[in-house]
Amino acid sequence: MTLASLGTGSIDPAAVLQRDTMVEQAVKAYSTQVEDRFTTEGRRRFELLRKCKDPQKRAVALAMAKLDPVVFLNDWVWLNEPRNPGRGLPANLPLTLRPRQVDFIRFLQQLRTDRQHGVVEKSRDEGMTWMVVGYYVWCWLFEPGFSGGLGSRKLDLVDKAGDLDTLFQKARFIIEKLPKWMVPQKFRWDVHSKLGLLINPENGASIKGEGGDNIGRGGRSSMYFVDEHAQVPRADAVHAALSANTDVIIYGSTPHGRANLFARIANKLTIGKPWPKFTFSWRDNPDKNYTLEVPKVTGQGTETVYPWYLFEKSKAVDLALFEQEVDISYDAETKNQIILGSWVQAALRYVPPLDAVLLPRTAGLDVSDGGSDATVYASRAGPVLLRLEALLSAEAPQTVHELATRDAVTELKYDRNGVGASIAATVARRTDKTYAVQGVFNGGKPSLQKYEDSDTPANLRFANYATECWWRLRLRFQKTWEVVEQGANHPPEDCISLKALPLGEALTTLIPELSQATYSRMGTSDKLTVNKKGEGGKSPNHAEAVIYAFAPTQAAGLPRRIPPVGPGMVLDDNGQFR
């Protein structure tokens, strides 16, 4: 990919070449300026260290460092960047805080003052981890009794001997580069530095590290930072442990889709008071946000571009991953994602014409199969999702009937070959109901229908009817996005609106569930099959209730409508009443 081929329209090859050359020269020239700046800063550091041979000046320097972590980081902390030799820079560099990094240190301090949790979303390579570890070392040196927790999705990312990519090796590197008179005099590497543990023997301060499911289980902490939180498995269970561990939790990460706790917190889709959020964007980094005037590759004139950004984007193999990690995109497409996060966001804003809401009403029911799964009821009027509620399983038959009656639905659909059969049987036996009960056979054959995105009928495209149902919902969300974002003229009955749902636990659970499912091709038939758990690990009960609510009334793969049944009738193994 060339630097300029990211545009559209009729491209002038000469302008492309000129633009590429100008951008590459600008990046190289700026790298030289950065090298000169670090050289100047290195000299200042060595001069400061020389002055501190004087006991009085040393005492002043120590007092200033103790007073303010920004002074400590700017005067005494060094970084290691192993990629730098290839860029013409030394591997070890003096830390010089950029304005946004100073803001971040103040953000950490304010969280502790207010005893609040915080979330940090970031572009890659913005220094967040070094800033947190540097702040921890400052607390470790100067705050008696400080106990800082560091976590990541596995212990090898927290601490591994000799690996400077780990959190603890960064802390050790910072301590090793400090002048000896600043390190605790009683500190011994062989005694006070262990795997996932650093102890200050003079003031009782410590830094502890944990990985995966063990995060938060190592006792109380003054604050706890979890790195790349969007990729922590079983994040809800980890959060429950951390909530009992400390008053100050900080989750930092680049985005990894919306089907995770980090995305819900960062986008204020959790119950309770929103967490303070800090954003580390490349656009706030003076080493990356410099501009250049270049010729347009289409048409006449010039335009202003960011050379660093264009240069990095031109090297990207996966543009979706680039947008996720550099542009802080929560909606960058996961490989084979069925419903994109951006489509869900469009459905949250979509308002169909009023007459579209008068279309027949239907409801869907996804029944818990035990454990942490929930029984979920969903109803819709035309394209509008009206209600989404998690139910108590013991009371589900009565509650479902009350909700279906209140919502004036004509049909209630459920998975007839799953655990929902018993609840559906109880509901179907009611003689006072005003709606039909219909089973959706997920494991059955797909229909013969052709969808607009393929000339192949569903029975030759999809492995089972469940995959077809997910795909039908995908097309609804895609069309909704095209209406909202592109002004397409799709009929309202082909779209979906989530705008009527109130902000609450049900909606915040549904949003990531919709985007967690992925598809793949199976066997020699090459048919599509759905992995409804995706990378999320949980069954998407809320999303499946919505799928049933939007399932077609009569199609191949669906049984006939269940007739009224008498008190003595039971549901057999084939999903039929006898």
Side-chain angles (χ1 to χ4, degrees), residues 381-430:
V384 178
L385 196 60
L386 292 177
R387 187 189 302 274
L388 188 66
E389 289 192 20
L391 313 176
L392 295 174
S393 294
E395 302 172 2
Q398 178 62 28
T399 307
V400 167
H401 172 68
E402 292 173 357
L403 293 176
T405 302
R406 186 184 310 167
D407 294 338
V409 302
T410 58
E411 291 179 328
L412 172 69
K413 299 164 190 161
Y414 70 100
D415 178 10
R416 77 177 177 109
N417 59 317
V419 294
S422 61
I423 288 181
T426 303
V427 176
R429 289 191 184 101
R430 300 187 68 105

Side-chain angles (χ1 to χ4, degrees), residues 124-141:
R124 70 186 182 204
D125 293 337
E126 286 304 309
M128 177 195 71
T129 305
W130 278 105
M131 296 304 102
V132 170
V133 172
Y135 177 74
Y136 267 48
V137 171
W138 177 79
C139 296
W140 181 82
L141 286 171

Side-chain angles (χ1 to χ4, degrees), residues 173-192:
F173 179 86
I174 290 173
I175 295 171
E176 286 173 349
K177 293 297 181 182
L178 294 175
K180 290 183 178 180
W181 47 264
M182 190 172 281
V183 179
Q185 297 303 299
K186 295 179 181 179
F187 179 77
R188 300 291 181 269
W189 286 107
D190 59 340
V191 176
H192 303 112

Side-chain angles (χ1 to χ4, degrees), residues 5 65 77 100 104 125 180 184 191 209 241 276-277 331 362 382 385 429 441 477 483 501 506 516 554:
S5 66
V77 170
R100 192 60 177 158
F104 180 58
D125 293 337
K180 290 183 178 180
V191 176
K277 181 170 73 172
D331 296 321
T362 57
L385 196 60
R429 289 191 184 101
F441 188 20
F477 275 101
V483 170
L501 292 178
Q516 79 179 33
Q554 297 288 343

Side-chain angles (χ1 to χ4, degrees), residues 447-476:
S447 72
L448 301 178
Q449 183 172 346
K450 289 183 179 180
Y451 295 97
E452 55 269 33
D453 62 334
S454 175
D455 292 329
T456 305
N459 65 318
L460 299 179
R461 290 182 70 190
F462 306 116
N464 50 41
Y465 193 66
T467 303
E468 182 179 357
C469 285
W470 273 97
W471 207 264
R472 290 175 62 91
L473 197 65
R474 167 192 171 94
L475 294 176
R476 278 188 178 275

